[in-house]
Amino acid sequence: MTGSRRGLLVLGGTVALIYGLRALPWDRLPGRRPRYVDLPDLPPFRRLEEQGQTSGATAAFVGLDTPTADANQRRARADALRADLCPALFGPALPTEIVPIAYFSEFRCPYCRALERDLDTLLAEDTSSFRLIQHELPIFGAPSELAALASVAASRQGKQKELRRRFMRTPLVAEPASVLRVATDIGLDVDQLARDMASPEVQAELDRTRALADIFGFIGTPGLVIGRTVLNGAIPYALLRRIAEDEKSRKTPVC
């Protein structure tokens, strides 16, 4: 068996494990609370006990489908971020009573759409306790990379969420012309958008997100870091809400 085939089998098995959490009957277990274990190499972060080793995999999967030079660059970026992780993950410091939620998504990921509806519900139910930080993690090739660039660029004009929602409803966003059509429809300055998409700053943001994904072991989407709790994969709303409440009840900030 070749190394690449072994890598695909490991990747497939791991993805099946992570998404298995979605099938757990959390909504029918009112007395059950999530159990956590610390990530020994990433204090103060933790993962669900039921999630096995997936969230703590860090850079174990880097290089399965990545050229050696690129893999080395990714490892170097991840190592550099570890020294000051929270600003890259959560952005500027928040008030201590707000729980940050870092969300890693991919436009072509069907699980992300369901999770985003749940995140919207969570934030609507308690607007003062949680703050969502968006991270674009394109994993399905050039069309995903293009859409991610556009999303990050649109954030410079304050319309990232609107653009993302339009992309989610668009069957195919595979070329610059289709991206610019959507951008025009929602009133973006398309010339500015094109300049930002080509800028090193926007690319650097995507590179940081990839490095964060490597650190936390996000080999697929969606990925979440709710306060201290690292989750890789789709989860039911009942479990999402319980984790968020656990994090809200903690008295000390994440970092």
Side-chain angles (χ1 to χ4, degrees), residues 30-170:
R32 181 175 180 180
R33 299 201 63 82
R35 295 191 299 272
Y36 306 99
V37 293
D38 292 336
L39 296 178
D41 57 339
L42 283 174
F45 295 100
R46 61 186 184 174
R47 59 169 172 81
L48 283 179
E49 187 177 61
E50 289 85 355
Q51 212 166 339
Q53 297 298 321
T54 54
S55 288
T58 60
F61 293 96
V62 176
L64 285 182
D65 57 354
T66 308
T68 302
D70 292 342
N72 289 339
Q73 289 177 352
R74 281 173 56 175
R75 288 192 177 92
R77 280 194 292 265
D79 289 343
L81 281 185
R82 280 175 177 271
D84 196 15
L85 191 55
C86 276
L89 183 62
F90 295 133
L94 295 170
T96 56
E97 66 272 14
I98 294 178
V99 176
I101 302 175
Y103 171 48
F104 294 73
S105 66
E106 148 72 62
F107 286 100
R108 304 170 83 181
C109 160
Y111 299 99
C112 295
R113 301 182 186 192
L115 180 59
E116 287 194 26
R117 290 192 294 269
D118 289 344
L119 287 169
D120 285 344
T121 300
L122 176 69
L123 295 170
E125 288 177 351
D126 194 345
T127 57
S128 63
S129 296
F130 305 104
R131 183 74 51 82
L132 188 69
I133 299 93
Q134 181 70 47
H135 292 280
E136 299 294 354
L137 183 61
I139 58 176
F140 292 132
S144 296
E145 294 277 355
L146 179 66
L149 285 168
S151 173
V152 175
S155 69
R156 271 63 175 168
Q157 298 186 45
K159 291 201 171 187
Q160 183 178 33
K161 186 173 183 178
E162 191 174 352
L163 185 73
R164 295 187 77 260
R165 294 297 165 85
R166 287 293 296 271
F167 281 171
M168 290 285 191
R169 300 196 302 266
T170 302

Side-chain angles (χ1 to χ4, degrees), residues 11-30:
L11 180 61
T14 305
V15 170
L17 174 63
I18 6 189
Y19 290 116
L21 272 180
R22 184 85 185 177
L24 292 176
W26 289 94
D27 55 335
R28 298 197 300 274
L29 298 172

Side-chain angles (χ1 to χ4, degrees), residues 183-214:
T184 300
D185 287 346
I186 66 172
L188 280 164
D189 181 333
V190 293
D191 292 333
Q192 184 62 51
L193 183 77
R195 287 193 294 271
D196 287 337
M197 288 175 65
S199 71
E201 292 81 11
V202 166
Q203 184 59 56
E205 183 168 333
L206 291 180
D207 289 343
R208 280 193 299 273
T209 292
R210 172 58 68 187
L212 288 168
D214 291 341

